[in-house]
């Protein structure tokens, strides 16, 4: 064996540096909450040991609350903090509706009174409109009252699953944690979803632990004819597990139960009948964990806003962009006078399902598969329409809005689930000559910081 003599002048191997722990993590201090921020948490400042002011974000508090907090994690330009002692609560503090409020990482604003909560959501919509460049004196005239979905109305949920030595946990992640909390009651979900969750816990308890541990998440959607369930797991189920799942689906009267491993296509384990939703009396099937508006109330609020706009505009040729399985497509085509609609969507499964429903109903709709992020409708193509509606994911519709600003039709209807990208997209359209005529805030995620916005825009006459 050769012996290689080490050069005494050679650099040594890279030394492992000890991890540098943030000295403020764990630091405790009393604070007075100054305001509720955009994410629903309280904002305050504390004085660090070195005398500097430190911004902190505190859950489960209201302006004026005096609490003692401990810093738990770095967050943007400040720190996320946890209340460890309540010194004095304001009179506005409302008893939370859910027993898991302080543990669960879901609803952040259950402790607000109904009036304060509605005002906070309205202010969130107003902030988005102001940031889009609207004059403050005009904003209130543009924004309608907030339409809020009631408790126990959310029809879809993703439950995290953990099966371990300490038991079976099916629920949501805790605050400041990846730990899965059991949530046997939930104030926002439909009772059918909570009944499924309880039955699924019992099912997992009865399963061999090695098989149950493979399950990581379960997505449940309440459709018009039952529950559609998608299990996400780390491994395929064996024959016995498949049989148990089929029996479980039958006992719970599920419309469909599917299984998915990683990014592979989902596989139906028990397809008892096709999950269906109805838009303007047209039945459309959905894919497992496919997108639907979070509540029926919210969907109806948005559809009503679309219909009101159609009554006032009376378009003939309409483009429905980011159309999904047709949440607005059939209302655009069939409300009042029938009109031609071109529906554009990138998800191939949604396109296939929508095409089938259109064919069965004979609706005047053309369905097109196209990625509008990479290939938006051009200004020349937009010239064929007198109204465009777009309803993109949270990333917004920047590329499409740039084309609309260049050569879009007279009217645009915009639906957004993200006030930040709504603001950006509205700025692009306003710079291209559009004026915002109306904004309708729709709250489908009760007691959370989320807010959906519907806007009517008209191109200014030259």
């Amino acid at each position: 064996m050769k012996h290689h003599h080490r050069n005494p002048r050679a650099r040594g191997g890279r030394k492992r540096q000890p991890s540098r722990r943030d000295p403020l993590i764990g630091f405790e201090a009393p604070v007075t909450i100054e305001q509720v921020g955009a994410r629903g948490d309280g904002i305050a400042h504390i004085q660090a040991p070195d005398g500097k002011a430190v911004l902190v974000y505190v859950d489960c508090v209201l302006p004026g609350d005096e609490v003692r907090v401990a810093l738990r994690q770095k967050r943007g330009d400040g720190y996320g903090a946890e209340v460890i002692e309540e010194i004095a609560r304001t009179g506005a503090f409302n008893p939370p509706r859910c027993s898991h409020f302080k543990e669960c990482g879901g609803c952040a604003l259950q402790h607000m009174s109904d009036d304060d909560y509605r005002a906070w959501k309205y202010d969130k919509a107003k902030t988005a409109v102001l940031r889009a460049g609207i004059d403050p004196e005009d904003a209130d005239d543009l924004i309608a009252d907030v339409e809020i979905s009631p408790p126990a109305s959310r029809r879809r949920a993703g439950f995290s699953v953990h099966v371990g030595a300490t038991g079976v946990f099916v629920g949501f992640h805790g605050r400041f944690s990846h730990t899965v909390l059991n949530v046997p009651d939930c104030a926002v979900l439909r009772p059918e979803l909570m009944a499924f969750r309880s039955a699924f816990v019992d099912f997992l308890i009865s399963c061999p632990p090695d098989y149950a541990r493979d399950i990581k998440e379960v997505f449940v959607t309440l459709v018009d004819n039952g529950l559609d369930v998608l299990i996400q797991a780390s491994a395929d189920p064996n024959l016995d597990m498949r049989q148990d799942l089929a029996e479980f689906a039958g006992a719970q009267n599920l419309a469909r139960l599917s299984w998915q491993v990683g990014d592979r296509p989902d596989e139906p384990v028990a397809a008892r009948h096709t999950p269906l939703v109805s838009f303007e009396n047209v039945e459309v099937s959905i894919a497992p964990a496919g997108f639907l508006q979070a509540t029926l109330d919210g969907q109806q609020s948005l559809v009503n806003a679309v219909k009101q706009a159609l009554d006032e505009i009376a378009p003939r040729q309409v483009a429905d962009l980011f159309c999904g399985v047709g949440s607005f497509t059939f209302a655009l085509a069939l409300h009042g006078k029938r009109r031609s609609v071109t529906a554009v969507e990138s998800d191939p499964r949604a396109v296939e399902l929508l095409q089938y429903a259109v064919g069965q109903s004979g609706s005047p709709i053309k369905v097109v598969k196209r990625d509008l992020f990479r290939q938006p409708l051009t200004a020349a193509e937009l010239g064929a329409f007198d109204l465009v509606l777009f309803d993109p994911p949270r990333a917004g519709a920047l590329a499409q809005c740039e084309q609309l600003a260049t050569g879009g039709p007279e009217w645009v209807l915009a639906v957004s689930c993200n006030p930040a990208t709504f603001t950006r997209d509205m700025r692009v359209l306003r710079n291209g000559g559009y004026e915002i005529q109306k904004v309708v805030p729709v709250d489908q995620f009760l007691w959370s910081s989320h807010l959906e916005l519907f806007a009517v825009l008209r191109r200014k006459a030259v």
Side-chain angles (χ1 to χ4, degrees):
M1 178 183 292
K2 288 186 177 180
H3 294 277
H4 297 278
H5 298 284
R6 184 176 180 83
N7 182 346
R9 298 181 63 188
R11 294 178 63 185
R14 185 172 181 175
K15 294 183 180 179
R16 185 180 181 87
Q17 297 292 328
S19 60
R20 298 177 62 184
R21 185 178 184 276
D22 189 324
L24 286 181
I25 299 299
F27 177 71
E28 299 181 8
V31 298
T32 299
I33 305 303
E34 301 160 15
Q35 61 178 308
V36 175
R39 291 173 57 176
D41 39 22
I43 295 177
H45 291 81
I46 65 171
Q47 188 174 32
D50 61 3
K52 293 182 179 179
V54 175
L55 178 66
V56 294
Y57 301 94
V58 188
D59 287 334
C60 311
V61 292
L62 293 174
D65 284 350
E66 297 178 31
V67 292
R68 187 173 185 83
V69 301
L71 306 193
R72 296 302 188 204
Q73 60 192 18
K74 192 77 175 73
R75 182 176 144 189
D77 53 352
Y79 289 81
E82 179 182 10
V83 175
I84 58 174
E85 180 187 357
E86 297 180 3
I87 300 171
R89 289 285 196 182
T90 66
F93 189 86
N94 197 62
R97 284 78 158 179
C98 176
S99 61
H100 312 290
F101 172 61
K102 292 186 178 180
E103 301 172 309
C104 180
C107 309
L109 296 165
Q110 284 190 23
H111 57 304
M112 273 188 170
S113 70
D114 291 344
D115 289 343
D116 287 346
Y117 175 75
R118 181 178 291 276
W120 186 83
K121 284 287 173 105
Y122 181 89
D123 286 343
K124 192 175 181 73
K126 186 173 180 178
T127 297
V129 169
L130 293 176
R131 288 176 176 172
I134 300 299
D135 291 334
E137 58 268 24
D138 297 331
D140 286 324
D141 293 334
L142 295 177
I143 305 171
D145 291 337
V146 185
E147 303 197 17
I148 301 177
S149 296
S153 65
R154 198 181 306 174
R155 60 176 170 174
R156 57 183 174 87
F159 294 107
S160 297
V161 178
H162 175 74
V163 179
T166 56
V168 172
F169 297 85
V170 178
F172 305 115
H173 289 119
R175 298 183 190 274
F176 304 104
S177 171
H178 294 294
T179 301
V180 178
L181 298 174
N182 270 326
V183 284
D185 61 294
C186 178
V188 298
L189 296 184
R190 286 283 297 259
E192 296 91 334
L193 272 65
M194 295 310 297
F196 168 84
R197 180 223 160 259
S198 178
F200 194 62
V201 169
D202 293 339
F203 171 77
L204 291 176
I205 291 173
S206 69
C207 286
D210 288 345
Y211 300 147
R213 274 194 285 267
D214 290 336
I215 298 174
K216 305 304 179 186
E217 287 186 283
V218 56
F219 294 90
V220 190
T221 304
L222 178 63
V223 293
D224 293 351
N225 56 345
L227 291 175
D228 186 31
V229 178
L230 173 64
I231 294 173
Q232 289 198 329
S234 58
D236 291 314
N238 66 4
L239 189 59
D240 289 340
M241 186 65 161
R242 290 175 184 272
Q243 181 63 34
D244 291 343
L245 286 166
E247 292 176 1
F248 173 76
Q252 298 302 315
N253 196 28
L254 303 182
R256 178 176 60 195
L257 190 152
S258 306
W259 188 282
Q260 184 178 36
V261 178
D263 295 329
R264 285 161 41 186
D266 52 79
E267 174 190 359
V269 176
R272 303 177 65 250
H273 43 264
T274 302
L276 298 171
V277 291
S278 179
F279 304 122
E280 301 302 302
N281 297 317
V282 177
E283 289 188 331
V284 184
S285 56
I286 66 166
F291 174 79
L292 287 177
Q293 297 295 336
T295 70
L296 278 172
D297 301 81
Q299 176 181 298
Q300 196 57 54
S301 293
L302 291 167
V303 169
N304 288 343
V306 170
K307 289 180 176 180
Q308 184 177 351
L310 292 175
D311 291 338
E312 297 173 359
I313 298 168
R316 289 172 296 178
Q317 299 289 334
V318 178
D320 181 12
L321 309 184
F322 308 94
C323 66
V325 292
S327 297
F328 306 113
T329 311
F330 293 98
L332 289 169
L334 304 178
H335 175 68
K337 284 189 175 182
R338 290 165 68 95
R339 59 190 65 83
S340 296
V341 174
T342 299
V344 186
E345 172 59 44
S346 63
D347 180 1
R349 295 181 78 176
V351 168
E352 180 182 352
L353 295 170
L354 181 55
Q355 283 176 330
Y356 181 80
V358 167
Q360 291 294 104
S361 67
S363 303
I365 298 168
K366 176 185 177 182
V367 185
V368 177
K369 180 182 178 300
R370 181 162 171 172
D371 186 342
L372 293 168
F373 290 108
R374 298 183 179 183
Q375 192 184 2
L377 266 63
T378 64
E381 292 172 305
L382 292 167
F385 307 103
D386 45 15
L387 183 145
V388 168
L389 181 147
F390 64 84
D391 179 21
R394 289 186 62 79
L398 177 59
Q400 189 59 73
C401 285
E402 289 172 342
Q403 293 296 320
L404 285 166
T406 300
E410 180 181 1
W411 293 95
V412 170
L413 306 181
V415 184
S416 173
C417 59
N418 183 349
T421 54
F422 171 85
T423 293
R424 181 201 64 199
D425 292 347
M426 292 303 101
R427 279 188 171 276
V428 172
L429 292 175
R430 293 187 72 248
N431 289 340
Y434 283 96
E435 289 182 331
I436 300 176
Q437 305 278 306
K438 183 179 182 180
V439 174
V440 180
V442 178
D443 180 14
Q444 300 191 68
F445 292 88
L446 187 63
W447 301 317
S448 80
S449 61
H450 296 293
L451 184 65
E452 204 136 1
L453 296 168
F454 171 85
V456 179
L457 299 99
R458 186 177 190 180
R459 185 179 289 280
K460 291 182 287 189
V462 178

